[in-house]
């Protein structure tokens, strides 16, 4: 028992050390003034110590703090690139005569497209195809099928060209001024809207009915046409979703065989099945069973 005592002391010491390290670190007194930062000023995020403010950099740090030198003399004389928002600034100022300058003969010569060689033009004149054609292809005769396919598509026999303008309006007719009488006659006729009527009270009719129509008597043909279409004699209405139970079914008594078959199948739980070696045991009769031709036919996959 004495050999286990150092282990318990070590465990207690390690747990105390872990609790001590798990405690959050207390903020310094100097951080209390920096609880709220104001962005946009020159104040530092964290306070600088007095030694950092009075420290002097070494010659190595001064050498590394120098910006990279531009060795090209032309680039040193250009103005600085202005980083702006919403406008563009040129990297360098363009001379005023740059847009009016003419290219030199050297630039014009270099801008000319590449010319074909004389030997290539002799072997391939402009009238020849892009690739060399064999003699057999030049002297062959097209078959009847090729000639039929080479014919352009004919116009539909029912196609009609655009008709010409039947009447030509003269310039004098275009420049004439119509009198007020002609303009008044050219206005469309305003018809009274008879499709919509003010219904008024709900008991009134939708549109006015004449007195002769109210006193008219329908003939036999009109009464026959006014009859609603009858349902077919073989029509059966939709059956109710809830079927009524008969009295015989309500007073029926189940047999012992039906009660035996209605009992649910009792299976062991999955926790007990994993410890039972005979849970998934296959019977000897199932091993010797022979598949029938009907089952073999149904087991075949569908050929697509």
């Amino acid at each position: 028992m004495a050999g286990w005592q150092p282990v318990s002391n070590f465990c207690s010491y390690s747990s105390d050390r872990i609790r001590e390290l798990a405690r959050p670190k207390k903020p310094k007194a100097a951080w209390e003034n920096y609880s709220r930062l104001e962005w946009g000023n020159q104040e530092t995020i964290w306070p600088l110590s007095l030694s950092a403010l009075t420290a002097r950099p070494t010659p190595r740090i001064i050498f590394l703090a120098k910006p990279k030198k531009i060795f090209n003399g032309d680039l040193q004389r250009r103005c600085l690139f202005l980083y702006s928002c919403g406008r563009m600034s040129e990297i360098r100022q363009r001379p005023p005569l740059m847009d009016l300058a003419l290219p030199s003969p050297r630039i014009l010569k270099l801008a000319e497209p590449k010319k074909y060689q004389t030997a290539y033009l002799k072997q391939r004149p402009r009238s020849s195809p892009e690739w060399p054609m064999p003699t057999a292809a030049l002297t062959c005769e097209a078959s009847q099928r090729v000639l039929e396919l080479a014919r352009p598509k004919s116009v539909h026999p029912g196609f009609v060209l655009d008709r010409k303008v039947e009447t030509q309006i003269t310039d004098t007719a275009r420049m004439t001024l119509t009198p007020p009488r002609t303009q008044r006659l050219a206005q469309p006729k305003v018809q009274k809207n008879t499709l919509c009527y003010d219904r008024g009270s709900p008991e009134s009719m939708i549109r006015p009915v004449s007195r002769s129509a109210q006193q008219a008597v329908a003939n036999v043909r009109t009464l026959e046409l006014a009859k609603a279409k009858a349902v077919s004699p073989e029509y059966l209405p939709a059956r109710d979703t809830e079927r009524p139970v008969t009295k015989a079914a309500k007073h029926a008594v189940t047999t012992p065989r039906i009660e035996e078959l209605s009992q649910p199948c009792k299976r062991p739980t999955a926790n007990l099945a994993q410890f039972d070696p005979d849970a998934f045991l296959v019977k000897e009769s199932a091993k010797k069973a022979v598949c029938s031709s009907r089952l073999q036919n149904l087991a075949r996959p569908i050929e697509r």
Side-chain angles (χ1 to χ4, degrees):
M1 296 297 292
W4 294 93
Q5 187 174 0
V7 177
S8 60
N9 294 336
F10 175 75
C11 294
S12 61
Y13 171 75
S14 60
S15 60
D16 296 340
R17 178 59 177 168
I18 292 173
R19 291 176 183 176
E20 182 182 357
L21 294 175
R23 294 176 184 174
K25 190 175 181 181
K26 295 182 180 180
K28 297 181 180 180
W31 280 90
E32 295 179 357
N33 300 328
Y34 291 86
S35 58
R36 295 180 181 180
L37 295 177
E38 295 181 1
W39 299 97
N41 51 17
Q42 300 297 327
E43 297 180 0
T44 56
I45 298 178
W46 51 82
L48 299 177
S49 60
L50 184 61
S51 58
L53 294 174
T54 58
R56 294 184 179 181
T58 60
R60 178 59 178 170
I61 295 177
I62 295 175
F63 177 75
L64 295 175
K66 291 182 180 179
K68 188 177 180 181
K69 185 179 179 181
I70 303 175
F71 296 94
N72 192 349
D74 297 335
L75 297 179
Q76 289 181 356
R77 291 193 298 269
R78 71 183 184 190
C79 59
L80 297 178
F81 187 85
L82 302 178
Y83 291 94
S84 58
C85 180
R87 63 178 182 177
M88 298 175 58
S89 58
E90 298 181 356
I91 297 178
R92 65 180 70 181
Q93 294 181 356
R94 300 173 59 185
L97 300 179
M98 180 178 290
D99 298 334
L100 304 177
L102 298 176
S104 61
R106 177 60 178 170
I107 296 177
L108 294 175
K109 184 177 180 180
L110 293 175
E112 293 180 358
K114 187 176 181 181
K115 298 180 180 180
Y116 294 101
Q117 298 182 3
T118 307
Y120 174 75
L121 294 176
K122 290 181 179 180
Q123 295 178 2
R124 179 191 174 276
R126 290 295 180 181
S127 60
S128 64
E130 295 183 2
W131 52 83
M133 299 292 295
T135 309
L138 296 174
T139 57
C140 68
E141 295 182 0
S143 61
Q144 190 68 21
R145 178 60 178 167
V146 175
L147 295 176
E148 183 180 355
L149 294 174
R151 293 177 184 173
K153 187 177 181 180
S154 58
V155 185
H156 192 270
F159 175 73
V160 180
L161 295 174
D162 297 336
R163 293 181 297 178
K164 297 181 180 179
V165 181
E166 297 181 359
T167 56
Q168 297 291 339
I169 303 175
T170 59
D171 296 337
T172 55
R174 295 176 181 175
M175 299 175 63
T176 53
L177 300 176
T178 56
R181 173 64 178 171
T182 305
Q183 294 181 1
R184 186 169 64 255
L185 293 175
Q187 294 179 358
K189 186 178 180 180
V190 179
Q191 298 181 358
K192 187 178 181 181
N193 188 6
T194 58
L195 298 178
C196 301
Y197 296 91
D198 187 11
R199 294 190 59 181
S201 60
E203 294 81 7
S204 62
M205 59 193 72
I206 297 177
R207 60 181 65 188
V209 183
S210 61
R211 183 176 300 178
S212 59
Q214 295 178 5
Q215 298 176 359
V217 178
N219 53 16
V220 181
R221 178 59 178 168
T222 305
L223 294 176
E224 183 181 356
L225 293 175
K227 291 181 180 180
K229 188 176 180 180
V231 185
S232 177
E234 300 179 357
Y235 172 75
L236 296 177
R239 292 182 295 182
D240 298 335
T241 55
E242 296 181 0
R243 297 185 181 181
V245 182
T246 60
K247 292 183 179 180
K250 292 179 180 179
H251 298 286
V253 179
T254 57
T255 60
R257 177 59 178 169
I258 295 177
E259 291 181 358
E260 183 183 356
L261 294 175
S262 62
Q263 296 295 332
C265 183
K266 295 181 180 180
R267 295 185 178 89
T269 60
N271 296 331
L272 298 178
Q274 62 181 348
F275 299 108
D276 188 4
D278 299 334
F280 303 98
L281 184 64
V282 183
K283 300 179 181 179
E284 295 295 334
S285 58
K287 295 180 181 180
K288 299 178 181 179
V290 180
C291 183
S292 61
S293 58
R294 177 59 177 168
L295 293 177
Q296 292 180 0
N297 188 16
L298 294 175
R300 292 177 182 174
I302 300 175
E303 295 181 0
R304 293 184 174 88

